[in-house]
């Protein structure tokens, strides 16, 4: 049988829809070191065991077309897709070009290449700067790639309806109706017309709601302004009433001025009459004063004459008395002198006897002092003692000063060291409270966790056994690195969990905190809180080798301290007893000595490798190496994670800093131990020198005291001898002449005393005569004085009466003058304020107006008070009229603004209605089509399905709002005959039921989508065999329909990628020529390079070995379209990826890892 004709490259290109993927090449991308494959233009089924790299192809398509890692749901950083131990990863995708406008024109191909560099981009970022993009070999920015992919080829890798990766399959069934509608709208046109119209309708409706609120707000404002204007109008009326009262008040005040003038005029007349009456009375009193004044003058003269005579007699009497007293004083003086002379005469004899006794006593005293002087040493010896003591004291002071300086220096050093030690100990005490400080930091970062802990701490008595946690607060790590290792290895949610030791405490804690108080809490049960026996991953011998040769420090559960219940919980959950902790030496062994391979080697003699996990560090960075053995290939896959600094487990204080502080305290204690003996020794030396100095000082004081006592005795002896000589001289004198002199003085004194007594007696007689005469004169004077007093009192009364009249008359005169002045001022004021006549003397209307007012001043003042009270009761607001007019203008402007907003709102509503009708019709048409197909496809499976459009209208609000943001597509399914249609949700249907519903919905959408290719990853997981066959048949049927235009081979539904780890045997639809099978294998017998695979050579070799059987196998393979799928002999290599021959239309390709 001759082989069929093979299509040329141009013929093959005609079948690819523009934007389809013709070729993909990967270098150092995840598990692929170098691979290239060529998808078919229609359905591509990617088959291979789990873990071989099927989903990697979808990752490459997404990233190669400008997508970002979050779309895949696998990682956040593109650099994580680079193969382990490689620096660059490369993705190259060739897209099918558009059909040329003219037959002879060449196709414009687009080859997009993305290079990811591990060394580019931020260390802590998401690798945004790590990628470089090329189109047809020219470097371009990411925006150009996205523009080419989205706008020119209408590829939507960010739409789950067209691109559904494995890690986001569950997200599709989790869409709410609104999200499902939006994703569906995006997939229906390259320009996303329906989606954009939908978003515009949502925005217009929001604007209308907002503008409606604005109209309501302006309406409220208008009502407020109208109410304000009504209030201002009332105030305006009050102001007008106030003006009337002010006008009336003005007239009353003018009337009051004229009434005050009238009262002033009447008062002036009354005062003038009083003035005339007082003048007559004053004249009468003045006439009565004259006789009294004359009589008083005569009596005054007589009294003066008597006083003059009495004064002369009194003067003579005083002179006689003075002479009398003078003679008596002289007589008394002479008497005193006589007594003194007699006393002196008797004392002469007594003085002589006393002088002789004092001489004898003084001699005895002098002899006693001379005897005491003999007890003192010589003066020159005392001087020698003083000089010696002074020199010794100087030497001692110098020694004391030196020892004192040395003691101060050593004591200051000791004090400084003790202060430093005390400060360091205080700092260390603060550092030792690290656990409390770390707990405060954790609770500050997680307030809800603090609420849980507070409740638990207050209610610990409710529990049977201890309750531990949060786990992060119970752990004390040995270093900063081990804290980061433990926090990276253990899930964050587990570090915030609580550990209980019995089931009853578990139920109680969960019920009280989670159910009653609605606080999130994770509870771990460790029965009895005891550690269980564990088996280590490595033998003691191997661990010793790891520690000695590779710097391994131990297991992760040995790097911290915590209660047994906490350690057991961490072992059970995170297997920390199987994780090794290394050092910088460990990192060196990993890089140079293949330490990971050594860790993966088994010690139990069983074949294969084992999983391993180890932490290492280099400089200031740390890494986690995780090696997992594939269940299919048996190879170890390596994963490397950067370790970020710990947050929850980070110690409050750096352990190294704490160790340095403890070392400093130890050094200070050693220095203090050395300095204290030195201080004691210096203090002893200082005390010894001080005691010696005190003894020398005492000797000096004693010598000086002795010298001082000697000088005192010398002086006392000299004084005593001098006094003795004076006493001897006084006792030897003769006193006879002194006695005769005293007697002569005594005789003279007696004679003088008698003479003075005689003169005093004569003066006393004269005094008595003058006293009798002056008494008669005094009595005459007193009689005249009494008469004068009576006359003077009468005169004073009259004068007082006259003065009072004069004062009253002066006062009345002043009052009269003041009344005239006031009258003139009031008249002037009245003429000025309220003139009754004009310049020509004609009466003015004001007079008539004033005559209508009350006629008395009291009535006018009462009326004024009433007017003032009324005016004061109305608040004076002169701007009310201006505000009233402004408010009227503002009301008019607000009315115009509200009318404008209403017009704009009507325009937007009209525009929204114009958009809604075609959009809603198109959407209803699409949903109806999808509903028909979806129901048909589900019925083929023996189920029922329905797709409906939910318009989002709320009851009671349908006439005004459409609620476009709440419009959605709802999928309802039924998988059992007796049940009713139920909404597709993750809570109702099983995983297989959701998968069937999802793929059927996508199949119903397929012909309506514009994207040139679609990808679905492992959508058939969880399906039973029957459903999987029916689903596969539907995928093949929908994806391999013939072109709608026979002249245009590209007018089909597009390219489709279905990724699955397996295919059921004997699938009846595999023979379709539009199905391309991409096999992915992984194992020890693969080709070293994908170019080594050659289907033609393989078939030729088979023909030479067995021509008949090979021809039959080849013919069968060509008929079924799956050449290369048949099981191969054990001695042949197993390929990585092989592409089936579509009746030899395309070359077979394979990829090696």
């Amino acid at each position: 049988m001759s082989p069929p004709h093979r299509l040329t490259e141009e013929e093959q290109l005609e079948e690819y829809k523009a934007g389809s993927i013709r070729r993909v090449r990967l270098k150092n991308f995840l598990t692929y070191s170098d691979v290239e494959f060529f998808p078919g233009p229609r359905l591509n089924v990617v088959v291979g065991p789990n873990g071989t790299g099927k989903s990697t192809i979808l990752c490459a398509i997404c990233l190669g077309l400008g997508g970002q890692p979050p779309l895949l749901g696998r990682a956040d950083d593109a650099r994580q897709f680079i193969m382990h131990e490689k620096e660059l990863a490369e993705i190259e995708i060739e897209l099918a070009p558009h059909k040329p406008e003219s037959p002879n024109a060449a196709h414009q191909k687009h080859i997009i290449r993305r290079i990811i560099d591990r060394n580019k981009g931020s260390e802590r970022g998401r690798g945004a700067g790590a990628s470089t993009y090329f189109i047809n070999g020219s470097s371009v920015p990411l925006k150009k790639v996205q523009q080419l992919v989205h706008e020119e080829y209408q590829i939507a890798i960010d739409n789950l309806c067209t691109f559904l990766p494995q890690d986001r399959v569950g997200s599709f069934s989790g869409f709410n109706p609104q999200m499902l509608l939006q994703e569906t709208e995006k997939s229906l046109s390259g320009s996303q017309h329906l989606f954009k119209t939908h978003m515009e309708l949502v925005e217009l409706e929001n604007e209308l709601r907002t503008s409606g609120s604005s109209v309501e707000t302006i309406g409220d404002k208008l009502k407020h302004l109208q109410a304000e204007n009504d209030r201002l109008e009332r105030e305006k009326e009050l102001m007008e009433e106030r003006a009337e009262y002010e006008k009336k008040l003005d007239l009353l005040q003018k009337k009051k001025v004229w009434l005050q003038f009238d009262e002033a005029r009447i008062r002036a007349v009354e005062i003038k009459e009083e003035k005339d009456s007082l003048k007559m009375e004053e004249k009468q009193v003045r006439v009565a004063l004259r006789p009294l004044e004359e009589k008083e003058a005569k009596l005054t003269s007589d009294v003066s004459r008597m006083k003059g005579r009495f004064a002369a007699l009194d003067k003579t009497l005083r002179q006689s008395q003075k002479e009398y007293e003078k003679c008596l004083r002289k007589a008394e003086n002479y008497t005193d002198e006589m007594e003194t002379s007699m006393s002196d005469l008797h004392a002469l004899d007594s003085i002589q006897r006393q002088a002789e006794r004092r001489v004898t006593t003084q001699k005895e005293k002098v002899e006693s002092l001379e005897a005491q002087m003999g007890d003192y040493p010589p003066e020159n010896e005392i001087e020698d003692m003083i000089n010696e003591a002074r020199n010794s004291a100087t030497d001692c002071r110098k020694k004391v000063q030196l020892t004192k300086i040395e003691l101060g220096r050593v004591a200051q050093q000791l004090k400084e060291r003790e202060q430093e030690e005390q400060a360091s100990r205080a700092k260390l005490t603060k550092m030792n409270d690290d656990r409390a400080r770390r707990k405060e930091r954790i609770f500050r970062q997680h307030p809800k966790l603090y609420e849980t802990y507070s409740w638990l701490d207050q209610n610990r008595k409710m529990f049977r056994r201890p309750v531990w946690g949060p786990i992060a607060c119970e752990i004390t790590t040995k270093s900063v690195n081990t804290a980061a290792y433990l926090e990276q290895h253990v899930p964050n949610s587990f570090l915030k969990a609580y550990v209980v030791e019995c089931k009853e405490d578990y139920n109680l804690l969960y019920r009280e905190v989670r159910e009653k108080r609605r606080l999130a809490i994770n509870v771990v049960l460790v029965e009895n809180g005891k550690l269980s026996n564990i088996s280590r991953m490595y033998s003691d011998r191997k661990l010793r080798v790891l520690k000695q040769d590779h710097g391994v420090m131990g297991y992760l559960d040995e790097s911290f301290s915590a209660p047994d219940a906490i350690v057991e919980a961490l072992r059970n959950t995170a297997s920390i007893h199987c994780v090794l902790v290394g050092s910088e030496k460990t990192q060196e062994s990993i890089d140079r000595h293949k330490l990971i391979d050594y860790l993966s080697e088994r010690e139990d003699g069983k074949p294969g490798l084992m999983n391993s996990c180890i932490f290492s560090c280099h400089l200031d960075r740390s890494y986690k190496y995780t090696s997992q053995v594939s269940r299919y290939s048996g190879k170890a896959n390596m994963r490397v994670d950067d370790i970020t600094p710990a947050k929850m487990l980070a110690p409050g204080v750096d352990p190294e800093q704490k160790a340095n502080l403890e070392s400093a305290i130890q050094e200070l204690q050693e220095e203090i131990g050395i300095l204290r003996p030195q201080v004691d020794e210096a203090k002893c030396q200082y005390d010894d020198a001080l005691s010696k100095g005190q003894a020398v000082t005492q000797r000096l004081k004693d010598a000086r005291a002795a010298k001082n006592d000697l000088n005192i005795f010398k002086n006392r002896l000299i004084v005593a001898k001098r006094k003795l000589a004076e006493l001897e001289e006084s006792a030897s004198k003769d006193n006879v002449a002194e006695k005769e002199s005293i007697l002569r003085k005594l005789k003279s004194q007696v004679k003088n005393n008698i003479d003075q007594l005689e003169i005093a007696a004569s003066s006393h007689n004269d005094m008595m005569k003058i006293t009798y005469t002056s008494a008669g004169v005094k009595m005459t004077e007193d009689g005249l004085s009494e008469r004068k007093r009576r006359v003077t009192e009468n005169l004073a009364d009259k004068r007082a009466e006259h003065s009072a009249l004069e004062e009253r008359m002066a006062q009345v005169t002043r009052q009269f003058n003041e009344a005239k002045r006031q009258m003139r001022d009031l008249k002037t004021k009245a003429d000025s304020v309220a003139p009754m006549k004009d310049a020509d003397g004609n009466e003015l209307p004001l007079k008539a107006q004033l005559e209508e007012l009350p006629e008395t001043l009291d009535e006018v003042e009462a009326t004024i008070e009433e007017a003032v009270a009324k005016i004061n009761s109305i608040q004076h607001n002169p701007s009310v009229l201006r505000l009233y007019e402004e408010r009227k203008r503002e009301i008019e402007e607000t009315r115009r603004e509200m009318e404008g907003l209403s017009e704009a709102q009507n325009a937007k509503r009209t525009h929204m209605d114009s958009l809604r009708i075609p959009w809603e019709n198109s959407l209803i048409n699409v949903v109806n089509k999808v509903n028909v197909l979806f129901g048909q496809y589900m019925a083929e499976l023996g189920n029922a399905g329905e797709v409906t459009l939910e318009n989002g209208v709320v009851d009671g609000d349908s006439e005004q709002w459409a609620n476009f943001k709440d419009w959605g597509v709802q999928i309802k399914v039924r998988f059992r005959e007796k049940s009713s249609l139920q909404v597709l949700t993750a809570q109702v249907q099983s995983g297989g039921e959701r998968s069937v519903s999802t793929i059927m919905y996508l199949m119903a959408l397929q012909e309506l989508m514009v994207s040139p290719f679609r990808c679905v990853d492992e959508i058939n997981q969880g399906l039973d065999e029957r459903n999987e066959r029916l689903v596969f048949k539907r995928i093949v049927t929908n994806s391999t329909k013939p072109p709608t235009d026979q002249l245009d081979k590209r007018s089909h539904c597009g390219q489709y990628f279905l990724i699955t780890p397996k295919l059921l045997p004997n699938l009846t639809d595999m023979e379709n020529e539009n199905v391309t099978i991409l096999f992915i294998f992984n194992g020890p017998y693969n080709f070293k390079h994908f170019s080594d695979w050659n289907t033609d050579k393989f078939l030729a070799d088979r023909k030479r070995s067995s021509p008949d059987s090979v021809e039959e196998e080849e013919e069968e393979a060509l008929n079924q379209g799956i050449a290369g799928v048949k099981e191969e002999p054990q001695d042949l290599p197993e390929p990585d990826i092989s592409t089936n021959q579509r009746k030899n239309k395309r070359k077979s390709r394979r990829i090696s890892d």
Side-chain angles (χ1 to χ4, degrees), residues 574-721:
S575 301
I576 58 173
H577 59 290
C578 300
V579 181
L580 294 175
V581 176
S583 59
E584 289 198 3
K585 186 176 180 181
T586 307
Q587 182 62 39
E588 183 180 355
S589 296
I590 292 173
D591 294 337
R592 300 184 179 181
H593 305 298
K594 298 183 179 180
L595 176 60
I596 302 301
D597 296 340
Y598 180 64
L599 293 175
S600 300
E601 295 176 359
R602 304 183 69 93
E603 296 183 84
D604 53 7
K606 296 180 181 180
L609 304 174
M610 66 177 182
N611 300 331
S612 64
C613 181
I614 188 170
F615 288 93
S616 67
C617 62
H618 179 65
L619 299 179
D620 60 343
R621 300 186 64 178
S622 299
Y623 308 93
K624 176 184 179 183
Y625 291 85
T626 306
S627 175
Q628 284 195 327
V629 180
S630 173
R631 292 180 296 175
Y632 300 97
S633 63
K635 288 185 176 180
N637 296 321
M638 173 61 62
R639 175 178 175 177
V640 182
D641 295 309
D642 285 338
I643 307 301
T644 57
K647 294 181 180 178
M648 295 185 68
L649 297 181
V653 178
D654 187 358
E656 183 178 353
Q657 184 181 1
K658 182 178 177 181
N660 293 338
L661 186 59
E662 291 175 345
S663 176
I665 292 174
Q666 181 65 29
E667 293 177 0
L668 288 171
Q669 288 177 341
E670 293 175 358
E671 291 186 23
I672 291 171
I674 295 172
L675 288 173
R676 276 180 178 160
Q678 294 179 2
V679 170
D680 295 339
E681 182 180 358
K683 189 173 182 181
C684 291
Q685 293 177 357
Y686 173 73
D687 293 341
D688 183 57
L690 191 63
S691 61
K692 290 181 179 179
Q694 290 174 348
V696 171
T697 302
Q698 187 62 40
R699 289 206 315 272
L700 179 61
K701 287 182 179 179
D702 294 342
R704 286 176 176 173
K707 182 179 178 180
N708 188 41
D709 292 343
L710 181 60
N711 291 332
I712 291 172
F713 268 98
K714 282 183 177 181
N715 293 332
R716 288 174 61 186
L717 182 60
I718 292 171
V719 171
K721 287 181 177 181

Side-chain angles (χ1 to χ4, degrees), residues 761-790:
S762 176
S763 298
H764 184 266
N765 293 329
D766 294 338
M767 284 173 56
M768 293 301 295
K769 293 178 180 178
I770 294 169
T771 300
Y772 295 147
T773 302
S774 60
V777 173
K778 184 64 176 173
M779 290 176 64
T780 303
E781 179 190 354
D782 291 340
L784 292 172
S785 296
E786 178 62 23
R787 290 175 61 192
K788 179 188 174 186
R789 183 185 63 78
R790 290 196 295 268

